[in-house]
Amino acid sequence: MFEASDLNIHNQRAEKLWRLLFLMMTLLLILPVLIILGVLIHKGGPMISIDFLFTEPKDGMTAGGIFPALVGTVWLVAVALLASVPVGVAAALYLSEYAPDNWLTRAINLAIINLAGVPSIVHALFGVGAFVLFFRFGTSILAASLTLAVMTLPVVIVATRESLQAVPQAFREACWNMGATRWQTIRKVVLPNSVSGILTGIILEVSRTAGETAPIMFTGAAFFLPFLPQSVFDQTMAMSLHLFVISTQVPGVPEALPFGVALVLITMVLVMNAVSIAFRMVLRSKKKW
Amino acid sequence: MVEADRSSAAETDEVVSTAPVKVDVRNLTISYSGKTALRDVTLDIRQNEIFGIIGPANSGKTSFLRALNRMDLFIPGMKVDGSIVLDGREVRKWRNVYALRRRIGVVFPLPVGLPMSVYDNVALAPRLAGIKKRARLDPIVERCLQRAALWDEVKDRLDSLGSLLSGGQQQRLTIARALSQEPDLLLLDEFSIAVDPVTTMRIEEVLKELKQELTIVLVTNLVQQARRLADRTAFFLTGELVEVAATSALFSGEVNDERTRAYVEGRFG
Ligand SMILES: Nc1ncnc2c1ncn2[C@@H]1O[C@H](COP(=O)(O)OP(=O)(O)OP(=O)(O)O)[C@@H](O)[C@H]1O
Ligand SMILES: [Mg+2]
């Protein structure tokens, strides 16, 4: 009565086959990541030292360290975050909590999606036109960071909106019915239950800007500048541009040097991601509903 | 106050008909993006009564409650026509909807424990109203939890998360929260859907007591619950008010409409 039919057996076999196929595809996906990391560590690992991290480049950038570029990248990312997070979070709050569902809102959402798809070199040209020339910031950290900020704004908005929308609508309605205004509801219920999600989302998305080259190339990042920036109106070196320069523009660079720079750059990004993922895991374990 | 004893429902019941009108609803029509959910409803709700609303799914009961506290402002596409007069004042002309809503407690079908401590859940409304001092909040929290028959179960863990209580407890928490607004009108929307029969009975006892102090609108799809609790009952069917009468009359077969008889006898719906 309950013996497996031929069809059952066939289905079971097929099931195993599909599973195997999908597993292999997944493993295939990890492969490039592993190879990249392996090569970087193998070739660039020996370069890494305290000296390498904390001294200036020397001999026409064929020797020495990367300190100004490292500091520059931190500046650029930090100022970009400072500019994009408040604007992005405010926009996401408006779109998710206040905006009526009409053509204007839909148009804005569409614009955000499209903005996320604009190539970074186009953002670079916009940055030159808007921040370097029109607002007369010159080529400076400010101009470069604002360009990065404009570029990351869509992902900040999307990440924030997703966290906000993860808060159940029933919570909002409960508050509204008690006579809370929208802002009171946001303050008491929506934000406390999404702020950590917003932060992790933003870190995860924005850590990518550390590696961007095009948007900062014409707006504030310098080819070679062995001093630390004193204010946002200075130019600065940056890891990504530095890597580009010593890989393609400067003769006589020892082979290991670019790999060392790349390794530091990718480590910065991975550390930010790891922090964000750890944060997210802690959050999940303390879920409140 | 209002001229009590508007004739609209005067034919119904001698016991409650002397009570002043709390909510006077005239020609209320509700639609969502042009689709009518409730059509031309006229009825009144008296002070200190439990006003039952029965009807099958999709009959517009929840929409009716939403119109009372002006939730239409916050629901995209929802439009309300006609007049709703609460304590002699048209709700649409209320200077401040938030003040209006604070006077009206609402309990939803599914319990909503907010993701904050039990204490904070109940203290939220007083805090929104500007009460900040612990010394003033403590007695309010205790009194509301007690009236909602929840105090004994949670008094030792007021700091634990409200959203992690059991379903029945969360529903009583929701009631406590509604009471913390010190409402004079309490709207209950199928509150017992997610609650066991024992807890339901306890809450029903609470409601009978609360009736002394406030007016209750009880939407329910348990016909027997309306029979147990409501002084008068309205029967809604696919967006229409079929009839409104004293509960005792409805259940003893004194109905004006055969559909009402069929529904209360459980022959359809
Ligand atoms: N937010 C909304 N947007 C659009 N239509 C809605 C909305 N809420 C209710 N409706 C529509 O209004 C009509 C009446 O719904 P309502 O929720 O008032 O019925 P109900 O009597 O409460 O039903 P139930 O017993 O299932 O809760 C339904 O046709 C429903 O689809
Ligand atoms: Mg309903």
Side-chain angles (χ1 to χ4, degrees):
Chain A
M1 199 65 198
F2 292 110
E3 267 166 51
S5 68
D6 283 353
L7 186 62
N8 291 149
I9 291 168
H10 171 81
N11 281 343
Q12 199 176 9
R13 276 210 199 112
E15 174 76 8
K16 276 187 188 151
L17 225 64
W18 282 114
R19 193 192 145 96
L20 195 68
L21 184 71
F22 293 144
L23 177 67
M24 300 227 316
M25 290 297 164
T26 311
L27 292 180
L28 213 62
L29 198 83
I30 308 176
L31 214 58
V33 180
L34 288 180
I35 292 174
I36 291 173
L37 271 180
V39 169
L40 284 183
I41 291 172
H42 176 70
K43 295 202 170 173
M47 289 298 299
I48 309 294
S49 67
I50 297 289
D51 260 8
F52 182 68
L53 293 178
F54 294 106
T55 59
E56 288 95 53
K58 287 187 304 210
D59 305 339
M61 289 191 279
T62 57
I66 54 166
F67 192 48
L70 198 62
V71 173
T73 290
V74 172
W75 267 89
L76 288 170
V77 173
V79 175
L81 269 177
L82 234 52
S84 69
V85 169
V87 178
V89 170
L93 275 173
Y94 177 75
L95 289 170
S96 154
E97 307 295 320
Y98 290 90
D101 182 23
N102 58 21
W103 66 269
L104 182 63
T105 312
R106 281 194 285 273
I108 293 174
N109 282 324
L110 204 65
I112 291 168
I113 294 169
N114 282 312
L115 203 59
V118 172
S120 57
I121 187 70
V122 176
H123 279 293
L125 294 178
F126 169 76
V128 172
F131 302 122
V132 178
L133 300 176
F134 184 78
F135 287 112
R136 296 175 198 279
F137 295 150
T139 47
S140 62
I141 291 178
L142 188 60
S145 289
L146 288 178
T147 309
L148 286 176
V150 170
M151 200 178 77
T152 53
L153 213 48
V155 291
V156 170
I157 294 176
V158 171
T160 306
R161 204 172 43 183
E162 268 163 22
S163 301
L164 293 174
Q165 265 151 23
V167 177
Q169 187 67 10
F171 293 166
R172 295 184 180 84
E173 285 180 6
C175 281
W176 295 340
N177 275 294
M178 291 165 80
T181 61
R182 283 183 198 267
W183 173 239
Q184 285 173 322
T185 305
I186 293 169
R187 271 238 342 267
K188 300 273 183 189
V189 176
V190 180
L191 271 187
N193 290 292
S194 57
V195 69
S196 11
I198 293 172
L199 286 181
T200 48
I202 288 174
I203 299 173
L204 205 58
E205 297 290 350
V206 169
S207 61
R208 288 183 199 153
T209 56
E212 286 292 341
T213 314
I216 58 173
M217 195 147 70
F218 313 120
T219 51
F223 194 81
F224 178 63
L225 192 72
F227 317 105
L228 299 186
Q230 301 304 309
S231 79
V232 292
F233 296 105
D234 289 347
Q235 289 190 39
T236 180
M237 290 181 81
M239 294 290 288
S240 53
L241 184 64
H242 185 57
L243 178 57
F244 171 71
V245 166
I246 60 173
S247 312
T248 61
Q249 310 291 307
V250 184
V253 175
E255 199 206 353
L257 190 58
F259 285 102
V261 176
L263 184 60
V264 175
L265 183 56
I266 208 167
T267 306
M268 284 172 80
V269 174
L270 288 182
V271 165
M272 278 195 265
N273 285 0
V275 167
S276 150
I277 289 166
F279 207 34
R280 188 166 285 192
M281 261 152 48
V282 171
L283 277 175
R284 281 235 179 98
S285 65
K286 295 200 223 170
K287 200 120 176 83
K288 288 189 179 172
W289 64 82
Chain B
M1 285 295 307
V2 201
E3 330 87 89
D5 275 333
R6 274 261 180 70
S7 58
S8 61
E11 74 272 12
T12 52
D13 191 42
E14 317 84 84
V15 187
V16 284
S17 63
T18 51
V21 174
K22 180 77 184 171
V23 191
D24 192 5
V25 179
R26 306 253 140 199
N27 307 106
L28 179 69
T29 294
I30 300 173
S31 61
Y32 295 95
S33 317
K35 236 182 90 242
T36 307
L38 196 65
R39 206 171 307 107
D40 201 22
V41 167
T42 298
L43 53 79
D44 55 17
I45 296 165
R46 313 282 174 74
Q47 207 119 50
N48 296 93
E49 78 172 336
I50 296 183
F51 186 86
I53 298 179
I54 57 174
N58 194 24
S59 52
K61 308 181 295 294
T62 301
S63 307
F64 179 80
L65 296 187
R66 283 181 185 148
L68 292 185
N69 76 344
R70 301 242 47 209
M71 224 3 101
D72 52 302
L73 290 176
F74 279 44
I75 295 174
M78 181 171 174
K79 200 169 155 294
V80 176
D81 281 309
S83 96
I84 299 173
V85 176
L86 171 68
D87 286 338
R89 266 165 86 191
E90 171 63 51
V91 293
R92 233 137 3 128
K93 302 213 175 100
W94 212 272
R95 65 201 146 82
N96 178 330
V97 283
Y98 307 107
L100 170 73
R101 287 183 192 151
R102 258 179 242 134
R103 291 184 46 182
I104 303 178
V106 187
V107 176
F108 299 99
L110 296 177
V112 183
L114 293 173
M116 49 178 81
S117 75
V118 170
Y119 186 97
D120 290 341
N121 261 280
V122 186
L124 182 56
R127 279 180 178 146
L128 290 176
I131 300 175
K132 294 268 159 13
K133 288 210 187 73
R134 202 67 193 204
R136 282 187 66 199
L137 288 171
D138 283 343
I140 298 177
V141 170
E142 176 170 350
R143 186 163 42 89
C144 293
L145 285 170
Q146 225 141 25
R147 287 167 85 192
L150 185 60
W151 175 251
D152 292 332
E153 285 161 61
V154 299
K155 64 170 183 265
D156 299 321
R157 47 183 183 131
L158 291 174
D159 290 332
S160 59
L161 275 176
S163 44
L164 297 183
L165 295 177
S166 81
Q169 289 174 326
Q170 280 192 47
Q171 193 60 306
R172 279 175 284 157
L173 180 63
T174 313
I175 294 175
R177 212 171 51 209
L179 294 176
S180 73
Q181 296 168 231
E182 308 204 325
D184 44 35
L185 182 61
L186 184 62
L187 312 178
L188 296 152
D189 191 358
E190 295 173 13
F191 73 87
S192 55
I193 274 189
V195 181
D196 68 280
V198 177
T199 310
T200 303
M201 287 303 163
R202 290 180 65 183
I203 298 178
E204 287 187 6
E205 290 310 311
V206 172
L207 295 181
K208 283 182 200 157
E209 274 169 41
L210 284 174
K211 192 176 115 170
Q212 317 297 327
E213 303 157 46
L214 40 81
T215 308
I216 298 174
V217 180
L218 173 79
V219 165
T220 176
N221 38 19
L222 304 174
V223 173
Q224 293 308 320
Q225 188 170 57
R227 182 181 203 164
R228 285 192 297 269
L229 294 176
D231 297 292
R232 290 186 308 142
T233 298
F235 175 45
F236 283 21
L237 183 64
T238 54
E240 255 180 90
L241 170 63
V242 176
E243 69 178 283
V244 50
T247 307
S248 53
L250 277 191
F251 282 90
S252 59
E254 294 168 38
V255 294
N256 296 324
D257 195 302
E258 275 312 305
R259 289 173 297 175
T260 316
R261 189 196 305 280
Y263 189 72
V264 297
E265 287 173 4
R267 282 192 275 118
F268 83 90

mmCIF file of all heavy atoms in Angstrom, chain B residues 17 51 58 102 202 215 226 229 244:
data_model
loop_
_atom_site.group_PDB
_atom_site.id
_atom_site.type_symbol
_atom_site.label_atom_id
_atom_site.label_comp_id
_atom_site.label_asym_id
_atom_site.label_seq_id
_atom_site.Cartn_x
_atom_site.Cartn_y
_atom_site.Cartn_z
ATOM 1 N N SER B 17 -33.352 54.331 26.817
ATOM 2 C CA SER B 17 -33.762 55.461 25.989
ATOM 3 C C SER B 17 -33.727 56.775 26.750
ATOM 4 O O SER B 17 -33.738 57.832 26.152
ATOM 5 C CB SER B 17 -35.154 55.220 25.417
ATOM 6 O OG SER B 17 -36.083 55.143 26.491
ATOM 7 N N PHE B 51 -22.926 49.273 23.137
ATOM 8 C CA PHE B 51 -23.613 49.257 21.861
ATOM 9 C C PHE B 51 -22.978 48.181 20.996
ATOM 10 O O PHE B 51 -21.817 48.276 20.612
ATOM 11 C CB PHE B 51 -23.493 50.632 21.192
ATOM 12 C CG PHE B 51 -24.300 50.762 19.932
ATOM 13 C CD1 PHE B 51 -25.635 51.136 19.985
ATOM 14 C CD2 PHE B 51 -23.732 50.495 18.697
ATOM 15 C CE1 PHE B 51 -26.386 51.246 18.817
ATOM 16 C CE2 PHE B 51 -24.477 50.607 17.536
ATOM 17 C CZ PHE B 51 -25.809 50.974 17.596
ATOM 18 N N ASN B 58 -16.762 41.799 6.096
ATOM 19 C CA ASN B 58 -16.958 42.669 4.952
ATOM 20 C C ASN B 58 -18.221 43.523 5.053
ATOM 21 O O ASN B 58 -18.683 44.062 4.068
ATOM 22 C CB ASN B 58 -17.016 41.797 3.683
ATOM 23 C CG ASN B 58 -16.875 42.619 2.429
ATOM 24 O OD1 ASN B 58 -16.308 43.711 2.475
ATOM 25 N ND2 ASN B 58 -17.402 42.118 1.343
ATOM 26 N N ARG B 102 -7.480 60.852 21.755
ATOM 27 C CA ARG B 102 -7.121 60.529 23.132
ATOM 28 C C ARG B 102 -8.349 60.223 23.976
ATOM 29 O O ARG B 102 -8.256 59.513 24.959
ATOM 30 C CB ARG B 102 -6.313 61.669 23.746
ATOM 31 C CG ARG B 102 -4.823 61.344 23.773
ATOM 32 C CD ARG B 102 -4.023 62.469 24.346
ATOM 33 N NE ARG B 102 -3.111 62.966 23.336
ATOM 34 C CZ ARG B 102 -2.924 64.241 23.056
ATOM 35 N NH1 ARG B 102 -3.580 65.177 23.724
ATOM 36 N NH2 ARG B 102 -2.091 64.597 22.121
ATOM 37 N N ARG B 202 -13.479 36.768 31.314
ATOM 38 C CA ARG B 202 -12.952 37.743 32.273
ATOM 39 C C ARG B 202 -13.043 39.149 31.705
ATOM 40 O O ARG B 202 -13.417 40.103 32.400
ATOM 41 C CB ARG B 202 -11.497 37.419 32.624
ATOM 42 C CG ARG B 202 -11.375 36.162 33.458
ATOM 43 C CD ARG B 202 -9.943 35.869 33.784
ATOM 44 N NE ARG B 202 -9.327 36.889 34.628
ATOM 45 C CZ ARG B 202 -8.054 36.849 34.992
ATOM 46 N NH1 ARG B 202 -7.286 35.860 34.581
ATOM 47 N NH2 ARG B 202 -7.565 37.783 35.755
ATOM 48 N N THR B 215 -18.757 54.772 27.702
ATOM 49 C CA THR B 215 -19.621 54.203 26.679
ATOM 50 C C THR B 215 -18.797 53.247 25.828
ATOM 51 O O THR B 215 -17.661 53.547 25.497
ATOM 52 C CB THR B 215 -20.185 55.336 25.802
ATOM 53 O OG1 THR B 215 -20.775 56.309 26.660
ATOM 54 C CG2 THR B 215 -21.211 54.814 24.822
ATOM 55 N N ALA B 226 -22.667 39.531 21.719
ATOM 56 C CA ALA B 226 -23.527 40.712 21.682
ATOM 57 C C ALA B 226 -24.727 40.490 22.592
ATOM 58 O O ALA B 226 -25.131 41.372 23.342
ATOM 59 C CB ALA B 226 -23.980 40.980 20.249
ATOM 60 N N LEU B 229 -23.693 40.941 26.235
ATOM 61 C CA LEU B 229 -23.157 42.213 26.711
ATOM 62 C C LEU B 229 -23.936 43.449 26.287
ATOM 63 O O LEU B 229 -24.069 44.404 27.053
ATOM 64 C CB LEU B 229 -21.709 42.384 26.224
ATOM 65 C CG LEU B 229 -20.688 41.412 26.791
ATOM 66 C CD1 LEU B 229 -19.339 41.658 26.144
ATOM 67 C CD2 LEU B 229 -20.578 41.576 28.299
ATOM 68 N N VAL B 244 -31.321 48.411 13.911
ATOM 69 C CA VAL B 244 -30.753 48.595 15.235
ATOM 70 C C VAL B 244 -31.901 48.541 16.230
ATOM 71 O O VAL B 244 -32.950 49.136 16.030
ATOM 72 C CB VAL B 244 -29.946 49.916 15.342
ATOM 73 C CG1 VAL B 244 -30.744 51.087 14.823
ATOM 74 C CG2 VAL B 244 -29.494 50.166 16.762
#
